[in-house]
Amino acid sequence: MQGLFIGVAFVAATTIVRPERRGRAMGVVLSGVSVSAAVGVPLGTWVGQALGWRGSFVGVVVLGVLALIAILALVPSVPSTGGAAGQARYAFAPRVLAVLGLNFLTFAAIFAAVTYIVPFLQHITGISGPLISVFLLVYGNSYSSGHLRRRPVRRPKRRAHPARRHHRCRSIPAGPQPRRRSRRPLVALALAALGLFAMGMTPSIQYRVVSLAGPGGALASSLPASAINVGIAFGSTAGGLAISTFTTSSAVIAGLVIAALAVPVAVATRHLKPPTVETAPNQRAAKTSAELTV
């Protein structure tokens, strides 16, 4: 449903504005998605902890009804953009698919780590409880980066007296260790930086896809959302396999590997150009006669 909504939102936003403002309209739509994720993820986490998972779903239903009322009242009717068959040859051209592949790799790299940000914060940095929502809010859209290796605590090899074992077990602090606490500012800085740069390139990719599609831009504007969702699913699976095979930090390593694959794809797609659409003979004749008449 999210991919369907985002695709329709792009078409509606670019249709109700002037052509020179379409790029800005795409940025506004993506900004709304980013802000909703930035606020919704920590808010949903807090509501789930306070009221249970049912409370989170009730909140989604209430907000959905309010959004539907706002759309019906404020968004004007959008005219049809024509048949999809004529746009498909441009929207699914190899140059467009290449940029969609880049979009897929980008979000796969991000969500390989982001999907498991909560266990990462708990096991690597020792963050738990309501403080997790604070770190999710700092990041914005729950994007994670960096690899902070957890070092095991060395214990003395000598045996303790049986009467002192119970006292030693009670003397171990229950909260996070000082080394873990020192990592928290670095984690917050990494989350904020990744959220800023990751979401900053999304409107550019969206605009690039629409531009390369040419006459099929209306249909192509809905494709990046599909590429994003497929990338999220692939990245989440890759991160889960990495965690199940190695450690919690391995999800971040999986994201870095996918990001390394995206670099040559980004370099290759920078030379792609929009299609040159030839005007039909009857349209050229009509245009010429209209110019002569004027």
Side-chain angles (χ1 to χ4, degrees), residues 166-221:
H166 180 67
H167 175 73
R168 172 175 292 183
C169 293
R170 296 183 61 183
S171 64
I172 298 176
Q177 301 173 0
R179 183 181 295 272
R180 286 183 172 185
R181 291 180 179 177
S182 64
R183 297 171 177 173
R184 293 181 178 181
L186 297 177
V187 172
L189 181 62
L191 293 176
L194 184 59
L196 176 64
F197 291 106
M199 294 310 301
M201 63 184 173
T202 305
S204 300
I205 296 178
Q206 178 73 27
Y207 187 78
R208 181 72 167 155
V209 168
V210 175
S211 300
L212 291 175
L219 178 60
S221 62

Side-chain angles (χ1 to χ4, degrees), residues 154-166:
R154 296 183 178 274
R155 297 178 180 272
K157 295 183 179 180
R158 62 183 181 85
R159 286 189 174 184
H161 190 276
R164 298 179 180 176
R165 290 180 181 174
H166 180 67

Side-chain angles (χ1 to χ4, degrees), residues 14-233:
T14 55
T15 303
I16 62 179
V17 298
R18 297 190 298 271
E20 63 271 15
R21 299 178 65 89
R22 288 179 179 175
R24 189 171 185 178
M26 295 178 187
V28 171
V29 173
L30 290 173
S31 298
V33 176
S34 302
V35 171
S36 65
V39 177
V41 172
L43 181 61
T45 303
W46 177 78
V47 172
Q49 293 175 348
L51 304 178
W53 65 270
R54 292 182 177 85
S56 299
F57 278 92
V58 171
V60 171
V61 173
V62 173
L63 293 177
V65 172
L66 295 177
L68 176 60
I69 296 174
I71 291 173
L72 294 176
L74 301 176
V75 179
S77 299
V78 177
S80 175
T81 57
Q87 301 183 38
R89 53 176 269 183
Y90 296 100
F92 294 97
R95 58 183 172 273
V96 178
L97 296 179
V99 180
L100 291 175
L102 174 62
N103 204 17
F104 161 79
L105 291 175
T106 300
F107 278 85
I110 293 172
F111 277 86
V114 167
T115 305
Y116 306 97
I117 184 62
V118 172
F120 181 86
L121 293 175
Q122 291 175 337
H123 300 154
I124 305 303
T125 62
I127 299 171
S128 61
L131 192 58
I132 292 180
S133 299
V134 176
F135 274 74
L136 293 178
L137 185 61
V138 169
Y139 173 50
N141 204 19
S142 300
Y143 291 128
S144 174
S145 179
H147 173 55
L148 300 176
R149 185 178 179 181
R150 178 183 178 183
R151 297 182 179 180
V153 179
R154 296 183 178 274
R155 297 178 180 272
K157 295 183 179 180
R158 62 183 181 85
R159 286 189 174 184
H161 190 276
R164 298 179 180 176
R165 290 180 181 174
H166 180 67
H167 175 73
R168 172 175 292 183
C169 293
R170 296 183 61 183
S171 64
I172 298 176
Q177 301 173 0
R179 183 181 295 272
R180 286 183 172 185
R181 291 180 179 177
S182 64
R183 297 171 177 173
R184 293 181 178 181
L186 297 177
V187 172
L189 181 62
L191 293 176
L194 184 59
L196 176 64
F197 291 106
M199 294 310 301
M201 63 184 173
T202 305
S204 300
I205 296 178
Q206 178 73 27
Y207 187 78
R208 181 72 167 155
V209 168
V210 175
S211 300
L212 291 175
L219 178 60
S221 62
S222 63
L223 299 180
S226 301
I228 289 174
N229 288 327
V230 176
I232 291 174

